[in-house]
Amino acid sequence: MPLTWDQVFTWRLRRQFVEPQAKSVTEIVRRLCGVQAQVTSAAEMAVALRSAAPESGALVRELHDGTLIKTWAMRGTLHALTPELATAYLSLLASTRVWEKPVWQRNFGASPEDVAALGVEVRRVLDGKALTRDELVDAIIADPAFDRLGEQLRSGWGALLKPLAWQGFLCHGPAQGTKVTFADPAQLITGWPGLPEPDAAAPLAIRSYLSAYGPSTPEAFDAWLSRGSVRKPVLRRWFSELGDDLTEVEVEGRRGYLCTEHVDELAATKPAKSVHLLGGFDQYVLGPGTADTALLPGDHRAKVSRTAGWISPIVVAGGRIVGTWELDEDAVVVSMFDDAPLPKKGLGTAVDQLGAALGREALTVR
C-alpha cells in the first residue's frame, strides 16, 4: 500500500496528541510510550503542549501520586512512564544484558556478579524507604564488598544504577527539595506487577511504539529502545511473532511496519499544513530518531541534535521539522532552516499554544 510522508506525519501528529490535544496526562504519556524526563521542564512542556487544559506541574503531580513512574529506561535516559509500559520496556532492556559485555565491565569496573549482588543489596536497603543518592550509596558501601564501587555509584551518569533500574530493583522516588531519591518500584507503585518475560513483553512494547511512531522498522524500534543492543535474531523474531497484528507498508520507497488496526486510518489521512512549536527533547523527534532524514533533513540534524545529547526545541510545519526556536524573555526566536521565511499561516496559533503551555501571555515572534 503506497503512502506519502505527508500522510504519515499528519497521522503521527494526531496519534501523539499534538493536534487534537488530550485531556489526561496519563493518556499522553501512555500514547507517547513515555516522556523523556532528563530535564523535568522539557517533560512538563511535552505534556502541556498536548493537553487541552494544561496545568503547571501536572506531570510531577502524577509522578508523586504514583500514577506514573520515573526511571532509567529507553537508551539509558530518564523517562516518565505508565507502570504497564514501564514493565514491558524495562524487561526488554534488561534482556540485552549490556552489563555483561567486556567493554561495559572495563568502563565501569563492575562484573556481572557485582551487578547481581548490587541488585540484592539495593532491594534490601530500600525496603520501606526512599533514599537520596548519597544515602543509598552510603548504605551500600557500608558493606566492604561494595566499597570499591562507591565512586561509580555516586556518578551523576548512574552507569551502575541503570542495570538495576532495568531489572526493576529501583526507580526514582519523591524528590526531597532539589535532591533525587530512589525507591523500590514494587513498594512505590500500587499494584506493581513486576517484570514479565521479554517474549511476553515484546508484543505490547512493539505495538505501542508503532501506534505512535509507525510505520517503522525493527531496527528503528531497537535504536529508540536500546541504541541497537537487542540481538538481531531476537528482534526479528519478536516482530515476526506478531503475525497479522502488523502490516508491512511502503512510504515513498521505504518499507516499514504498522499496526494492522491503523492501516485504513493512515491510508485515509489527508495531509495537513499545521504549524507547531514543540519543546526540547520532544518525543515527536526522539521516537523516530534524529537520523530519520524523512522527518529531519540530514544537513540540519546538528541544529536539533546538539552536543552533550541536547535536543533543541523544534518548529514543525506540515509534520516536517523545518527549524528550531528558543525563548528570549517574552519573545519566541525562530530559526528556520535554509533561511526560509516564517510560516505565514499557523505560527500565531502555535505561539498561543506555547504561551498556554508555559502559562505566559503575549509572547511575540522574531
Side-chain angles (χ1 to χ4, degrees):
M1 178 178 294
L3 299 163
T4 70
W5 284 114
D6 288 338
Q7 286 179 290
V8 169
F9 296 146
T10 298
W11 179 81
R12 286 183 186 172
L13 288 170
R14 293 174 183 170
R15 291 293 303 172
Q16 296 175 35
F17 295 125
V18 177
E19 183 182 22
Q21 296 159 316
K23 296 180 180 179
S24 162
V25 172
T26 301
E27 185 179 19
I28 293 168
V29 173
R30 180 183 297 112
R31 180 66 62 80
L32 294 177
C33 307
V35 174
Q36 185 162 316
Q38 294 282 117
V39 179
T40 301
S41 60
E44 289 282 8
M45 182 180 292
V47 169
L49 285 169
R50 292 168 168 85
S51 298
E55 298 180 21
S56 176
L59 179 68
V60 169
R61 284 197 296 275
E62 297 281 348
L63 289 167
H64 184 270
D65 293 343
T67 308
L68 301 175
I69 181 174
K70 184 176 181 179
T71 190
W72 282 294
M74 285 73 75
R75 306 176 306 284
T77 58
L78 286 170
H79 277 72
L81 292 145
T82 61
E84 180 188 27
L85 281 182
T87 60
Y89 289 126
L90 292 176
S91 173
L92 300 193
L93 287 162
S95 76
T96 66
R97 312 292 293 183
V98 294
W99 59 91
E100 296 180 354
K101 296 180 179 180
V103 66
W104 190 95
Q105 296 178 56
R106 288 196 300 272
N107 286 341
F108 304 116
S111 67
E113 292 74 22
D114 289 331
V115 173
L118 278 171
V120 174
E121 185 66 4
V122 163
R123 181 149 281 175
R124 183 187 71 79
V125 300
L126 288 178
D127 186 22
K129 65 190 74 169
L131 300 177
T132 66
R133 186 189 296 269
D134 284 340
E135 290 170 341
L136 175 64
V137 176
D138 287 345
I140 292 172
I141 65 174
D143 184 335
F146 299 113
D147 182 66
R148 63 184 176 83
L149 301 176
E151 182 177 354
Q152 280 291 351
L153 286 168
R154 293 188 196 279
S155 168
W157 294 104
L160 287 189
L161 299 181
K162 289 176 184 179
L164 307 183
W166 294 336
Q167 295 175 84
F169 293 134
L170 62 76
C171 65
H172 276 51
Q176 292 184 9
T178 60
K179 292 184 177 180
V180 169
T181 72
F182 298 96
D184 183 339
Q187 298 181 4
L188 185 69
I189 305 297
T190 302
W192 178 255
L195 272 56
E197 290 298 317
D199 286 352
L204 173 61
I206 292 170
R207 283 196 297 261
S208 297
Y209 176 80
L210 294 178
S211 293
Y213 309 108
S216 193
T217 63
E219 293 75 20
F221 167 76
D222 189 25
W224 169 82
L225 175 74
S226 70
R227 301 189 192 275
S229 296
V230 177
R231 291 191 301 116
K232 297 302 180 286
V234 172
L235 182 65
R236 289 193 292 268
R237 176 172 59 79
W238 285 343
F239 271 73
S240 176
E241 288 179 350
L242 280 164
D244 291 341
D245 284 355
L246 302 185
T247 295
E248 190 174 28
V249 299
E250 182 177 313
V251 185
E252 298 182 16
R254 186 194 296 183
R255 302 187 71 83
Y257 290 99
L258 189 69
C259 292
T260 301
E261 64 181 299
H262 296 141
V263 171
D264 290 344
E265 177 186 332
L266 175 53
T269 297
K270 297 185 183 300
K273 296 183 179 180
S274 57
V275 176
H276 301 279
L277 299 176
L278 299 179
F281 301 96
D282 195 85
Q283 299 302 127
Y284 186 73
V285 64
L286 290 177
T290 59
D292 187 340
T293 55
L295 176 65
L296 174 62
D299 52 343
H300 296 298
R301 182 184 183 189
K303 298 171 185 174
V304 174
S305 182
R306 298 163 62 185
T307 56
W310 192 267
I311 304 297
S312 299
I314 53 176
V315 182
V316 177
R320 297 175 187 269
I321 300 173
V322 296
T324 61
W325 64 271
E326 61 183 358
L327 277 180
D328 182 7
E329 296 183 348
D330 289 331
V332 182
V333 182
V334 176
S335 301
M336 299 292 289
F337 295 157
D338 300 319
D339 295 320
L342 296 178
K344 292 182 179 179
K345 295 182 178 180
L347 183 57
T349 300
V351 171
D352 289 343
Q353 288 182 328
L354 177 62
L358 294 173
R360 299 173 65 174
E361 298 180 356
L363 291 177
T364 59
V365 179
R366 72 168 193 260

